[in-house]
Amino acid sequence: MVTRYDDVRELLSDPRVSADIRRPGFPALGEGEQEAGARFRPFIRTDAPEHTKYRRMLLPVFTVRRVRAMRPAVQARVDEILDGMLAGGGPVDFVSAYANAVSTSVICELLGIPRENLEFFRDVTRVSGSRTSTAEQVSEALGGLFGLLAELVAKRREEPRDDLISKLVTEHLVPGHVTMDQLLSTLGITINAGRETTTSMISLSTLLLLDRPELMKELRREPSLMPAAVDEFLRVLSVADSIPLRVAAEDIDLSGRTIPADDGVIALLAGANHDPEQFDDPERVDFHRTDNHHVAFGYGVHQCVGQHLARLELEVALETLIRRVPTLRLAGDRDDVAVKHDSATFGLEELKVAW
């Protein structure tokens, strides 16, 4: 386990550590991840040059400029989801009614996936991301996901549209730069990673604001603080804490200790983001914190390719909620809020709210 900020950044930028899940000693979080990861090879569990190829496929879609242009569409979708939640009356489960609906809708619309598949993706992510799932359960879940994606790829091959699946099909699959299996794996991890982490961040950030009404008032009073607030939420919550799993390809000296070759290493992002040597009073939630260079999206060549989209979703989802539902409150006992402890991504199982 590597926990200090400087050590985490040094480790994740060291070419002597490998993200290849097939290597002996790789610290997979469960039997399901180890076996399914080796079989389906998500690009986040590969090294250069393989990882570089897939990353370059996705980068043009997630640039700051392209994501900024998506804001009106994201805002329209968030308003539509919130309209539906409010019209249904409370109390509701905020995780499914809002957080999951926002994150899943945005990533699916980016890829060009029909809305009726939204709950299906939640089920796939829950199984494939659980530390308690067996290899058979993970394979079955991912097999269903890849089957649905394969149908969409075939349709976009015949009739391309203005979406990510069409772009990857026409620019990479048809010319033979990637195989069908490689394309499906890339699409699958893009959906799983983009949906689950953002759902968790929207839910946990909202719970934090309900716990700390003075922070809610500050954002309502100064909406311009939202981008800084989102980065502070990302730092404090660090939901992808244990995603950067690595294995040492050779002996590595780090802060006076040696990580032996073939030893698994977990760079704990939450530990780094709460390091008092880097962040003054790290437990304090401070929207005016300067030089907030957190590592919530990882660090180095494997840093999250979709981080600009994640920030946009969080800004729009939280700003809209705070502005439009000033009476939002917990429905039930705070101690009854169900937290996920068995998932690769930290989050909430359920959050009952009313207004």
Side-chain angles (χ1 to χ4, degrees):
M1 294 285 190
V2 179
T3 62
R4 289 191 290 259
Y5 181 85
D6 289 341
D7 288 346
V8 164
R9 298 214 327 173
E10 182 176 341
L11 181 83
L12 293 180
S13 58
D14 194 321
R16 296 172 296 174
V17 297
S18 170
D20 191 339
I21 196 169
R22 297 171 303 177
R23 277 184 175 268
F26 187 90
L29 296 178
E31 171 200 352
E33 181 186 21
Q34 182 78 59
E35 294 190 26
R39 176 184 173 191
F40 294 109
R41 298 298 315 287
F43 77 92
I44 66 169
R45 300 296 187 224
T46 63
D47 294 328
E50 191 176 6
H51 171 265
T52 308
K53 178 176 74 172
Y54 297 125
R55 189 174 179 87
R56 285 176 177 167
M57 284 169 50
L58 296 171
L59 274 175
V61 182
F62 293 105
T63 62
V64 173
R65 182 180 62 83
R66 289 290 297 271
V67 168
R68 189 175 293 144
M70 294 173 60
R71 182 176 284 270
V74 172
Q75 182 67 65
R77 188 71 184 109
V78 167
D79 279 325
E80 182 182 346
I81 291 168
L82 189 56
D83 286 344
M85 187 182 89
L86 296 176
V92 299
D93 172 23
F94 181 84
V95 176
S96 59
Y98 191 70
N100 176 62
V102 169
S103 63
T104 309
S105 295
V106 171
I107 196 66
C108 286
E109 288 181 16
L110 176 69
L111 269 71
I113 295 170
R115 292 184 182 181
E116 58 263 27
N117 299 125
L118 300 188
E119 279 307 308
F120 168 77
F121 289 114
R122 184 180 187 185
D123 292 339
V124 168
T125 305
R126 186 176 65 249
V127 174
S128 61
S130 174
R131 296 179 177 132
T132 61
S133 294
T134 65
E136 291 76 16
Q137 290 171 324
V138 174
S139 293
E140 181 181 357
L142 293 180
L145 171 62
F146 292 159
L148 185 151
L149 291 174
E151 294 177 6
L152 290 171
V153 166
K155 291 178 181 178
R156 298 298 184 267
R157 195 166 191 163
E158 295 296 323
E159 298 181 20
R161 299 182 183 178
D162 184 23
D163 56 44
L164 178 56
I165 291 180
S166 298
K167 181 179 178 64
L168 295 180
V169 166
T170 57
E171 295 183 8
H172 299 278
L173 180 65
V174 172
H177 302 319
V178 296
T179 66
M180 174 65 89
D181 286 346
Q182 290 170 336
L183 176 59
L184 295 179
S185 178
T186 301
L187 291 171
I189 192 61
T190 301
I191 294 168
N192 274 4
R195 195 209 66 78
E196 182 74 358
T197 52
T198 311
T199 295
S200 295
M201 277 301 306
I202 294 172
S203 303
L204 284 167
S205 299
T206 300
L207 178 60
L208 190 154
L209 288 171
L210 291 173
D211 283 342
R212 300 280 303 279
E214 74 277 9
L215 296 177
M216 185 91 79
K217 291 177 182 177
E218 185 176 9
L219 288 175
R220 192 169 287 124
R221 187 173 60 249
E222 297 184 66
S224 62
L225 286 175
M226 185 55 73
V230 164
D231 267 313
E232 184 69 340
F233 292 145
L234 286 163
R235 182 191 69 80
V236 170
L237 298 170
S238 298
V239 299
D241 183 24
S242 54
I243 294 297
L245 307 175
R246 301 288 189 270
V247 61
E250 57 184 87
D251 288 356
I252 298 172
D253 291 327
L254 187 66
S255 291
R257 300 291 292 275
T258 298
I259 301 172
D262 298 326
D263 261 21
V265 192
I266 302 178
L268 289 176
L269 302 181
N273 285 334
H274 288 256
D275 185 345
E277 294 297 314
Q278 177 65 27
F279 302 100
D280 181 51
D281 193 6
E283 302 304 313
R284 187 180 77 250
V285 180
D286 183 0
F287 300 154
H288 302 275
R289 190 180 293 276
T290 58
D291 299 323
N292 188 2
H293 301 300
H294 62 75
V295 289
F297 292 111
Y299 192 73
V301 296
H302 282 78
Q303 192 172 25
C304 177
V305 69
Q307 61 179 288
H308 302 307
L309 179 59
R311 282 189 171 94
L312 171 64
E313 290 182 61
L314 288 167
E315 287 179 24
V316 174
L318 295 174
E319 185 280 328
T320 304
L321 185 71
I322 290 169
R323 171 171 46 85
R324 292 189 52 190
V325 197
T327 57
L328 188 73
R329 68 183 188 279
L330 281 177
D333 194 323
R334 175 65 175 80
D335 292 337
D336 291 336
V337 175
V339 180
K340 291 196 300 185
H341 289 298
D342 67 342
S343 173
T345 303
F346 185 64
L348 300 177
E349 292 285 1
E350 186 179 70
L351 178 65
K352 291 290 186 181
V353 298
W355 51 90

